[in-house]
Amino acid sequence: MRIGLLGTGRIGSFHADVLARHPAVEALVVADPDPARAAAVAGRTGARAVATATEVFDAGVDAVVIASATSAHAELIGRAARAGLPTFCEKPVALDLAGTLGALRAAECAHSVLQLGFMRRFDAGYAKARAAVRGGALGRLHTVRTVTSDPAPPPAAYLPLSGGLFRDCLIHDFDMVRWVTGREVTRVYATGSDAGHSMFRAAGDVDTAAALLTLDDGTLVTATATRCNGAGYDVRMELAGERDQIAVGLDDRTPLTSAEPKGPGAPARPWPGFLERFAPAYEAELDAFVHLVRGEAANPCDGREALHALRVAEACEVSRRERRPVELTEIPSA
């Protein structure tokens, strides 16, 4: 199988390493707006570097992986669909709902395969939590808490291109709430703080956010995120039911110190970032894509699944901006 990789930044470079050593991938063709960066990745992985996305599409590839800047995702999804190429794309599909719906329509009209990169679906902890909830081990679920905390803010130039904290960061939590519980979000009430570095205010974004979600069975969810967690990279999910409660992301590298006299101290090696924390999951999702392209497996996260999470993020942005609860029925779905 020949795969084209569009984008060789931090996550694209990681994907190149994974694809280059995959036994089913015979050749890898990479492109990036920064030719030197693409050449460096190609030199390290044995891939072929080309100058443009057009050259990738013309290289006779069997599928494409999109890891470019978010602003380019929708256009590249449309081009891949028209070329009849199965596509893996990092989240989100687009920076806004209109762009997302347009890209999904293009893929659906072309009957093209589109897998979205929600890597937490391939994390062992989240998978175990899903099995526990779906199997009834917790009893009636009443409360879910999610945490996503980055150890340091991204570069200022990234913020206006990111889509904001809800779309860029908390969208993973929104996807996990649906995937783990099997329920839909019906209402959100969200807020945010830009009390940190001035670059967040300049971008119209926030550095810390919180959302209260109501699920269709009455379960309550709190979801928080921040760009300023100096202790380390912290991603957790707690699920509490009438019978038991469990936590995802609680291990000897969780950057959390107990204040209790006999509680655990600070971890010796806290998680430094998302690539280290979710490396096995990133690898597993690309392996799933290869099997999907080969017709050996179903799509683990198609475009419509990604749309659900984006609609929750959009509702949170409306709620933050207008300072009111927002029903999901207010957010277009088609």
Side-chain angles (χ1 to χ4, degrees), residues 279-302:
Y282 277 116
E283 188 157 352
E285 71 176 356
L286 285 181
D287 181 64
F289 177 62
V290 170
H291 286 286
L292 173 62
V293 173
R294 288 161 62 100
E296 299 168 349
N299 194 335
C301 187
D302 64 23

Side-chain angles (χ1 to χ4, degrees), residues 138 145 238-241 243-247:
L138 306 187
R145 308 176 192 91
E238 300 171 3
L239 301 113
R243 186 178 303 160
D244 200 0
Q245 61 179 345
I246 57 175

Side-chain angles (χ1 to χ4, degrees), residues 184-188 213-218 326-329:
E184 297 294 343
V185 178
T186 60
R187 176 185 293 179
V188 310
L213 318 178
T214 302
L215 304 188
D216 56 14
D217 64 347
V326 175
E327 303 289 330
L328 261 291
T329 53

